[in-house]
Amino acid sequence: MFREDDRIVVAISGGKDSAVLLHILHHIEYAFPDSTIIPVTIDEGIQGYRNKALESAESLTRSLGLSLQIFSFQNLFDYTLDEIVRLKPSKSVGACSYCGVLRRRALNIAAKELGADVLAIGHNLDDEAQTVLMNILRGDSSRIVRTNVSREDSIPGLVPRVKPITELSERDIVAYAYYLHLPYHNVPCPYAEAAYRNDVRDFLNEMEYRRPGTLLATIRSSEAITEAFKQSLQKWSFTTCERCKTPSPSRICKACEMLETIRR
Ligand code: SF4
């Protein structure tokens, strides 16, 4: 995932997963003086939630001697997520969809501005297995391939993403953070649309309890699916979004389409 002289931008949310990711990467990269770690937080503008998580992120980065870079929806897109939710641009699109698409865009902008070679994201084993199963249950198996692109196969114009802790279970991550007294924010987001994910989580946890290894096997399956469909991935034609000039499968990318609806 990494090279010895990488500029690694690490996405920090203030939660436990990214706290552990940053702690581990900092520990390892210390041995590679040519590499640089830059922690970045995207402030979506969720009053009472993100501002608290930011305090934890700042406390963690300070304790590691790193300087936290903050990019906000307000500065990048002119709206906070709270404002978008108040405006209700669409009945069928929820807060998490706006947040997910715009945060992905914001992270790519931040990583590019900071000259990153690679962008590290803190998804854990439980989250990743849930996402794989949710994509399958929704009939969106192509998303498994699109979100599993390796550094070598990443699309030019998008900073390559790596997910170094996808084989660490949530339980291990909590234990690591607890044992090392890492500061992290542990309050759920007020907009969390978690009903579906909760059902999938309960099912996978039950299976993991009865048949240990289920979570890891789910991840392995998604890797095998990605490998099998790699050829079709190369065939996907990417163009450049007419508005923001980032790579996009359509004339106008999803983020610009959403911003257009919000402005209207
Ligand atoms: Fe954004 Fe939804 Fe996560 Fe809240 S729960 S931070 S709205 S994606």
Side-chain angles (χ1 to χ4, degrees):
M1 290 185 193
F2 301 108
R3 300 182 185 126
E4 289 187 11
D5 57 353
D6 267 342
R7 269 178 87 77
I8 307 167
V9 162
V10 186
I12 302 296
S13 65
K16 62 184 183 329
D17 300 319
S18 55
V20 168
L21 170 66
L22 182 66
H23 194 269
I24 293 173
L25 280 184
H26 182 256
H27 189 71
I28 294 172
E29 292 299 309
Y30 209 68
F32 299 94
D34 292 337
S35 74
T36 312
I37 288 189
I38 310 165
V40 165
T41 295
I42 303 300
D43 178 1
E44 305 92 344
I46 306 173
Q47 196 53 38
Y49 169 70
R50 181 56 71 212
N51 48 326
K52 298 276 177 211
L54 263 170
E55 289 171 17
S56 302
E58 271 168 344
S59 158
L60 174 71
T61 50
R62 231 187 351 261
S63 72
L64 296 174
L66 299 167
S67 158
L68 182 65
Q69 307 294 313
I70 302 170
F71 288 71
S72 70
F73 276 18
Q74 175 74 65
N75 286 342
L76 294 172
F77 310 124
D78 296 333
Y79 297 92
T80 64
L81 192 68
D82 284 341
E83 284 167 343
I84 296 172
V85 169
R86 263 198 302 277
L87 287 168
K88 277 205 191 92
S90 160
K91 279 189 188 140
S92 57
V93 183
C96 289
S97 299
Y98 287 106
C99 186
V101 169
L102 295 179
R103 191 176 43 216
R104 207 176 163 82
R105 168 57 48 82
L107 276 173
N108 194 57
I109 294 172
K112 272 185 153 179
E113 261 185 40
L114 295 164
D117 296 302
V118 67
L119 170 63
I121 311 280
H123 289 175
N124 69 37
L125 175 63
D126 300 55
D127 294 339
E128 201 67 12
Q130 289 154 20
T131 303
V132 170
L133 193 53
M134 282 165 69
N135 284 332
I136 290 173
L137 295 175
R138 283 176 174 146
D140 195 2
S141 44
S142 69
R143 189 181 286 265
I144 294 174
V145 184
R146 278 183 278 140
T147 53
N148 252 339
V149 179
S150 69
R151 182 170 178 173
E152 287 69 31
D153 295 322
S154 62
I155 296 151
L158 296 178
V159 177
R161 291 175 159 235
V162 294
K163 296 185 273 187
I165 58 166
T166 49
E167 292 188 16
L168 290 185
S169 72
E170 188 163 20
R171 203 164 51 167
D172 287 345
I173 283 172
V174 171
Y176 188 103
Y178 180 79
Y179 181 68
L180 291 170
H181 304 290
L182 301 185
Y184 68 87
H185 186 63
N186 200 21
V187 175
C189 169
Y191 300 130
E193 300 156 6
Y196 191 38
R197 185 173 283 271
N198 280 345
D199 291 344
V200 171
R201 179 187 291 120
D202 290 347
F203 168 73
L204 280 172
N205 284 350
E206 176 72 21
M207 289 303 291
E208 178 70 21
Y209 177 72
R210 285 202 221 161
R211 295 172 189 273
T214 297
L215 293 176
L216 201 54
T218 309
I219 302 290
R220 293 280 177 265
S221 296
S222 84
E223 287 166 1
I225 292 170
T226 304
E227 200 50 41
F229 285 93
K230 223 173 165 182
Q231 301 303 327
S232 64
L233 181 74
Q234 280 152 7
K235 275 185 237 144
W236 283 342
S237 54
F238 266 80
T239 174
T240 306
C241 170
E242 284 178 6
R243 308 251 161 84
C244 68
K245 310 294 177 210
T246 55
S248 160
S250 50
R251 208 169 49 81
I252 308 291
C253 73
K254 193 76 191 156
C256 286
E257 194 187 298
M258 282 182 161
L259 288 167
E260 176 83 29
T261 316
I262 295 163
R263 280 189 204 110
R264 252 194 276 126

